[in-house]
Amino acid sequence: MVSKRLSRLEGHRRKFMAVIDGTPECEKAVHYAGRRAKNTNGGLVLLYVIPEGDFQQWLGVEQIMRAEAMEEAEAVMAKAAHRVREAIGIDPEIVIREGSAPEQINGLVEEDRDIAILVLAAGSAKEGPGPLVSAVAGRGAAFPIPVTVLPDTLSDEEIDSLA
């Protein structure tokens, strides 16, 4: 059970969350979430999850690999935040975590009770709609808040008109 959302209380505002996962469609999710946040006077949270299990090496090598993964995550998030500021005109919150994406999403939603909507975009590749959308559709990871899933066929202009 999810904790009560606080976004409607005085001093709080509803936040939209998008996950930066390196897929081509995640940019559409970020664009939609950012537009919805701006149009509703809300906030935008961008989450990057460093996959778990990538660091099972000797201790020294593991520390170097972890540091490199964090540097890469920070660079990716800096670019994503810059694009949001330039295209939409809002300053997103940046969160970087390590572990399983569904677990980290759920953990962040529980910690930040202003996050009210998770925005994902489905890919159209032959491999499927993407790992997070597949998790939602397959019920392998039930998220405690509503999830908006965008088709990747939408243009930025169409996203703007929908947001």
Side-chain angles (χ1 to χ4, degrees):
M1 186 167 140
V2 69
S3 300
K4 180 181 175 188
R5 302 289 91 193
L6 302 176
S7 57
R8 297 289 181 199
L9 299 177
E10 187 175 330
H12 293 268
R13 65 185 183 152
R14 177 174 60 173
K15 294 178 184 176
F16 294 82
M17 179 168 58
V19 179
I20 306 295
D21 62 1
T23 60
E25 61 270 11
C26 81
E27 289 187 28
K28 294 195 182 289
V30 170
H31 187 84
Y32 179 83
R35 284 284 180 212
R36 288 283 294 143
K38 184 173 183 169
N39 292 343
T40 61
N41 197 31
L44 174 62
V45 176
L46 300 179
L47 172 64
Y48 185 100
V49 180
I50 300 169
E52 62 188 346
D54 286 354
F55 311 113
Q56 298 178 2
Q57 305 290 329
W58 294 300
L59 185 59
V61 175
E62 178 181 332
Q63 290 173 339
I64 292 169
M65 291 174 70
R66 230 181 257 286
E68 288 173 350
M70 182 58 76
E71 282 180 23
E72 179 185 342
E74 289 169 348
V76 167
M77 293 303 271
K79 286 181 187 177
H82 178 74
R83 283 192 305 268
V84 168
R85 284 185 209 101
E86 291 292 313
I88 301 170
I90 62 172
D91 196 25
E93 294 178 39
I94 303 297
V95 179
I96 300 172
R97 299 246 174 125
E98 183 182 320
S100 156
E103 288 175 13
Q104 296 306 319
I105 291 167
N106 284 324
L108 184 56
V109 167
E110 188 60 32
E111 291 168 26
D112 187 342
R113 293 174 47 198
D114 288 337
I115 297 174
I117 298 174
L118 171 62
V119 179
L120 302 174
S124 58
K126 64 181 179 180
E127 296 84 31
L132 288 176
V133 174
S134 294
V136 170
R139 297 187 189 173
F143 295 110
I145 56 174
V147 179
T148 300
V149 180
L150 300 171
D152 77 337
T153 56
L154 295 175
S155 68
D156 285 348
E157 295 77 27
E158 291 169 320
I159 291 172
D160 290 345
S161 71
L162 292 170

